[in-house]
Each structure stands twice: as structure tokens, then as C-alpha cells.
Amino acid sequence: TATAQSNVTGQWARLANVPMQFPVHNILLPNGKVFFVGRNSTQLVWDPITGQTTAVPSPGYDLFCMGHSYLPDGRILMAGGHIADYVGLAKTSIYDPATNTWASVPDMNAGRWYPTVTGLPNGESLVVSGQMDTSIGVNPLPQVYQPTTNTWRDLTTAQLAQPLYPMMFVTPNGKVVDVGPSDTTRLLDTTGTGSWTVLGMRRGGWRDYGSAAMYAEGKIIVMGGADPPKATAEVIDLNAATPAWRAVASMSVARRHLNATLLPDGTVLASGGTSGPGHNNESTPVFHAELWNPATETFTRMASASIPRLYHSSALLLPDGRVLVTGGRGQLGRALQK
């Protein structure tokens, strides 16, 4: 049922349980359904209209802690996975929502646990970062998946030990920008064997477990994150002759493990997170959402939920305009209606 609150915008509605420990990765499929990936080799498809779930066969390994992106034909590329904490898989598979089947892809150069996958304008997919294991550490080799040949292209001249799950966006000129959690902003040219260019430094410092959104072409906001958590936010316009970060108004409260969701009108919804110090402080959950308006560059307080959404939570815009939030250590799903 939906719960309306006075003096705030929006309301949260609790949804039905799904037969999964907790959904970590949520992917909106072309048919409007949502692909959930949980821990321990669990995955299913959920219909936000009917509430029904569909079993999904296993690709043969644990998808937990992988990265994913869309291919031009509507299939989903999923790279990496879980052997143990901080030990990643080199496996990659493609899920076809039209047939509920998997297609195999040649292994990557090495394992990746917490990688980021970014769809490129030419239909290829960039994979960066991800932990190989506890002795070698992060995979420094960016790779590009080429769907026309089902092969990987190594960016051997762009090797870089990026933090886990870096926040990557395609820029107006076709390059890919890394905006966090590192405070060094870099541009990656994915042509040939690749090359990095340092764009500058963010003003807000390190932002691990913060969140980011591209709210207009070439315009990005980064918010929250760090330990202790930050309430600050900053923006950059990559269309400018000399792009540079600048601070905007802060959120009403510090948040770590928050999710920033781009809405159809160009505003950005900040939801969930914890305001206390430590990796995942369960004693200080943030229940109210906040809406960032790019016209005023300020946050407005929205309705409060009743379930903590901390580490391993996700937020996803549905086709009907609701924002689905799930996960966070065994928590149930809810949807926000503006």
C-alpha cells in the first residue's frame, strides 16, 4: 500500500516479496520487466505491473558483483562475477530477454569483481576495473567487447588501477569519463589500444560508495559517499571549453551507499544510504528521499520510506515513472511515486 505524507512530495508503496535473498543488480529489460541478480547464483525476472516472477536459468556461475550494459539489440552483457569476496571471475555472458536464454562470450583477460561496464556509441561495451583476487588486486586492463565478432579488444596503452565500480559516463565527443570515486577525473579514448587524459580534480574529494548521474548531455552530478559520509554534491559540464568541477548546494544529510536516479524531467532522485561513519553503519539509515533540480541546483526533501536501503541496495526508474528500490541486506522492494 502507498503511504502519503503531509508537506512532502511523493509516496512510497511497499511491493510484494521476491523469492531471492536480496536483489543487488537490477536491470530494466526492453519489455518493461526487471532482471534481478542476487547472491548465491540467484537471478529472476520480475514484472512490475503484475508482480509475477519468471525463473531464469543459470549461466553456469555466480553473477553476484558483476557489471552489465545494454547491447544495441536489447540483449544484456554481463561481465565478471563472484568466486569469493574480492575474488572475481573472468566469465562474461549475454542474456536475451526475448528467449530467456544465455549466450557465452570468450573470457576476459582475468577476473573482475565489482567492474564497471559502459555501452559505447558504436555498440561496443567497455569493461574497466574489478578485483582479480586478494593478492594481485584490481584488474588494470580496460577491455572492449566487440559484438560483431564476439571478441575482446585490449586497451593495452590505457592500463590503470581504478577503484572498484568506477563511475563511468560516455561524453558528448564519444570518450568515457571517470568521475569517481577517485577525485582525479580522467577521460578514456577507447579507440585503438586506448589512452587516458587527466581532465582535472574534483572539489569534493574521495567519494567511495557515493553516486552519480548524467542529468543532461555532458552534464554530471556526483553526490555523497566517503567515510564519514558527505552531504556535498558537485557538477561538471563536459561541453564547456575547459570543463571544471564546481560545488552545488548540499543534500539535507550526509549519505553513503545512496542511489542517484535520473528522472524523465531531468531531475535526480537521491534515495537511501547511511549517514554514520564506517563501511555500512546500520544504526544511521537515511529514510527520506531528496530531489535535485538542475535549474536551481538545490535539493528538495521528499517522502520518507520505512526500510533501510544501505549496502547492496539499488534504485531503478520504471517505464511508468516510479522509482523501484530494492536490496540492502535482505530488505524488500518499494516504489516511489512522485
Side-chain angles (χ1 to χ4, degrees), residues 11 37 57 62 69 103 110 116-117 128 153 178-179 188-189 192 232 243 260 263 275 285 316 324 332 336:
Q11 59 187 22
V37 174
D62 195 346
S69 71
T116 295
V117 185
V128 298
R153 176 165 52 87
D178 178 355
V179 300
L188 175 60
D189 185 339
T232 56
L263 302 185
S275 61
L316 176 71
L324 170 71
L332 307 177
L336 177 68

Side-chain angles (χ1 to χ4, degrees), residues 253-255 271-275 284-290 307-310:
V253 64
R255 298 176 190 255
S271 61
T274 176
S275 61
T284 55
V286 181
F287 291 108
H288 70 274
E290 298 182 61
I307 296 175
R309 300 293 178 185
L310 311 180

Side-chain angles (χ1 to χ4, degrees), residues 3-310:
T3 304
Q5 299 162 20
S6 61
N7 302 319
V8 292
T9 302
Q11 59 187 22
W12 290 97
R14 186 164 184 160
L15 305 175
N17 296 353
V18 294
M20 178 178 287
Q21 184 183 13
F22 55 93
V24 177
H25 309 277
N26 298 347
I27 307 167
L28 181 64
L29 301 176
N31 58 14
K33 298 179 181 181
V34 182
F35 187 106
F36 286 154
V37 174
R39 295 205 69 158
N40 303 318
S41 299
T42 55
Q43 52 277 322
L44 57 83
V45 170
W46 173 74
D47 189 326
I49 303 301
T50 67
Q52 295 181 334
T53 59
T54 302
V56 175
S58 171
Y61 57 92
D62 195 346
L63 292 167
F64 179 59
C65 296
M66 55 84 178
H68 54 82
S69 71
Y70 299 98
L71 295 177
D73 59 7
R75 296 181 302 159
I76 313 298
L77 179 76
M78 303 188 194
H82 183 79
I83 296 176
D85 287 352
Y86 300 100
V87 183
L89 285 163
K91 297 290 187 182
T92 303
S93 297
I94 295 174
Y95 176 71
D96 188 342
T99 59
N100 195 29
T101 59
W102 296 94
S104 62
V105 171
D107 285 355
M108 296 176 289
N109 72 302
R112 296 186 190 268
W113 186 89
Y114 279 45
T116 295
V117 185
T118 308
L120 301 177
N122 63 359
E124 298 177 340
S125 295
L126 168 72
V127 182
V128 298
S129 188
Q131 186 95 356
M132 290 187 282
D133 56 40
T134 55
S135 59
I136 300 177
V138 171
N139 191 334
L141 178 67
Q143 294 182 282
V144 173
Y145 174 67
Q146 303 169 119
T148 56
T149 57
N150 193 34
T151 58
W152 292 101
R153 176 165 52 87
D154 296 343
L155 305 189
T156 53
T157 53
Q159 298 196 56
L160 178 68
Q162 296 172 261
L164 300 180
Y165 276 151
M167 307 171 192
M168 309 287 286
F169 296 90
V170 175
T171 69
N173 64 6
K175 295 181 180 180
V176 183
V177 63
D178 178 355
V179 300
S182 172
D183 52 2
T184 302
T185 303
R186 294 180 172 89
L187 285 171
L188 175 60
D189 185 339
T190 60
T191 61
T193 55
S195 62
W196 286 100
T197 302
V198 174
L199 188 62
M201 302 292 290
R202 275 194 299 94
R203 301 165 59 92
W206 190 268
R207 291 187 182 273
D208 61 318
Y209 295 103
S211 197
M214 180 177 282
Y215 59 92
E217 185 178 9
K219 297 181 178 181
I220 300 170
I221 181 170
V222 180
M223 63 186 75
D227 183 15
K230 300 175 180 181
T232 56
E234 51 193 313
V235 297
I236 191 170
D237 183 357
L238 299 172
N239 304 294
T242 307
W245 290 96
R246 59 183 179 83
V248 295
S250 297
M251 296 179 287
S252 65
V253 64
R255 298 176 190 255
R256 177 180 170 89
H257 298 304
L258 78 160
N259 287 290
T261 307
L262 176 64
L263 302 185
D265 61 0
T267 58
V268 179
L269 184 74
S271 61
T274 176
S275 61
H279 172 64
N280 188 46
N281 193 326
E282 297 182 5
S283 67
T284 55
V286 181
F287 291 108
H288 70 274
E290 298 182 61
L291 190 68
W292 187 75
N293 187 333
T296 61
E297 296 187 339
T298 57
F299 288 90
T300 301
R301 187 182 179 110
M302 304 284 283
S304 292
S306 58
I307 296 175
R309 300 293 178 185
L310 311 180

